Amino acid sequence: TCGSLLASRAWEAMGLIPNPVSKKIERRLDDAQLAIDAAAALVDLIRGKVGDAERRELDTLLMNLRVNFVEQRSKG
């Protein structure tokens, strides 16, 4: 899904998973923030159209992305 793609891009841009093409770890926190914001906007759009379990899963994903982003940003 589009949400999974955005989440993968965020994890990659935070340097927590390797770039699938180069196989290298790259930190681009501005790109990570953009991917997280886009994922959050998507979740807001579909919130009323998914069941409770999927909504909780999406909310948990966003929370994990945001917590990891704050941790990565604090590392400098």
Side-chain angles (χ1 to χ4, degrees):
T1 66
C2 197
S4 297
L5 177 63
L6 289 168
S8 292
R9 292 293 179 219
W11 294 122
E12 177 188 325
M14 284 187 274
L16 298 175
I17 62 171
N19 177 304
V21 176
S22 69
K23 308 292 188 221
K24 295 179 182 178
I25 296 290
E26 303 168 359
R27 286 189 57 192
R28 301 174 321 278
L29 294 181
D30 288 343
D31 291 348
Q33 182 68 65
L34 181 61
I36 293 167
D37 290 347
L42 180 62
V43 167
D44 286 343
L45 284 173
I46 65 172
R47 187 172 299 281
K49 299 177 175 117
V50 297
D52 288 342
E54 190 170 358
R55 191 174 314 120
R56 281 191 301 275
E57 185 177 316
L58 291 169
D59 288 340
T60 299
L61 174 62
L62 281 176
M63 181 183 64
N64 287 333
L65 286 168
R66 288 172 172 153
V67 165
N68 278 277
F69 179 80
V70 169
E71 288 176 1
Q72 293 304 311
R73 189 176 58 195
S74 71
K75 290 180 181 179

